[in-house]
Amino acid sequence: MKRVYVREEWCLGCHLCEYNCAFANSGKSDMVNALKGVTIHPCIQIESKDSVNFAVSCRHCEEPLCVKGCISGALTIKDGLITVDQGKCVGCYTCILSCPYGAIMPSSQGHVVQKCQLCTQNGRDIPACVAGCPNQAIVFEER
């Protein structure tokens, strides 16, 4: 299965992956109208440590602790892809506590959670963060 990988040595910390993610998940067709004056809630986050920038997003683990810890069955794994059914999420945040990578976060829509689903819910061939990275620091490939 293809996954998102980050080449930390190439990451500039520009946050464009965050904006492209937020836009892809906004449901709007115009980036300016979708994001102007809005606090974004992307499923990928840029972190910096000792002048090294790196992106944090779901790694779609083979044995995901988040899925095992989900008490409502909102998190499921199918063909290697971990998805969230926000209609089933009860907002207990056990998955947030279980994820060793910090890749699950509260959603902007109430008490439910959000995480990277590789833009499959948006009908994209490649995730928006990958397509929008100007330095190709984020790649979508099988390893």
Side-chain angles (χ1 to χ4, degrees):
M1 181 184 120
K2 285 186 174 183
R3 290 186 167 91
V4 171
Y5 295 97
V6 179
R7 298 186 248 185
E8 292 89 4
E9 67 276 8
W10 291 34
C11 181
L12 302 171
C14 67
H15 299 272
L16 282 174
C17 56
E18 294 176 347
Y19 283 96
N20 281 290
C21 175
F23 173 55
N25 291 300
S26 71
K28 297 184 180 177
S29 60
D30 179 57
M31 186 180 242
V32 174
N33 289 332
L35 304 180
K36 188 173 183 178
V38 175
T39 301
I40 63 169
H41 298 278
C43 298
I44 188 169
Q45 304 282 322
I46 295 297
E47 302 287 336
S48 298
K49 176 87 171 148
D50 299 327
S51 71
V52 174
N53 301 303
F54 53 96
V56 176
S57 69
C58 181
R59 300 190 182 186
H60 299 277
C61 303
E62 289 184 24
E63 294 185 32
L65 296 174
C66 60
V67 174
K68 290 178 183 177
C70 181
I71 64 170
S72 66
L75 286 172
T76 57
I77 185 168
K78 183 179 177 186
D79 298 327
L81 179 70
I82 300 169
T83 59
V84 179
D85 181 342
Q86 292 187 333
K88 288 184 178 179
C89 182
V90 296
C92 69
Y93 297 158
T94 303
C95 57
I96 293 174
L97 297 170
S98 301
C99 179
Y101 302 106
I104 304 174
M105 59 215 74
S107 170
S108 62
Q109 295 126 359
H111 64 280
V112 297
V113 296
Q114 69 177 29
K115 60 170 289 307
C116 174
Q117 300 183 101
L118 301 175
C119 285
T120 55
Q121 75 282 13
N122 301 326
R124 299 177 67 94
D125 292 333
I126 63 170
C129 61
V130 175
C133 182
N135 215 33
Q136 298 170 343
I138 304 173
V139 295
F140 186 54
E141 59 190 28
E142 190 141 356
R143 291 188 182 173

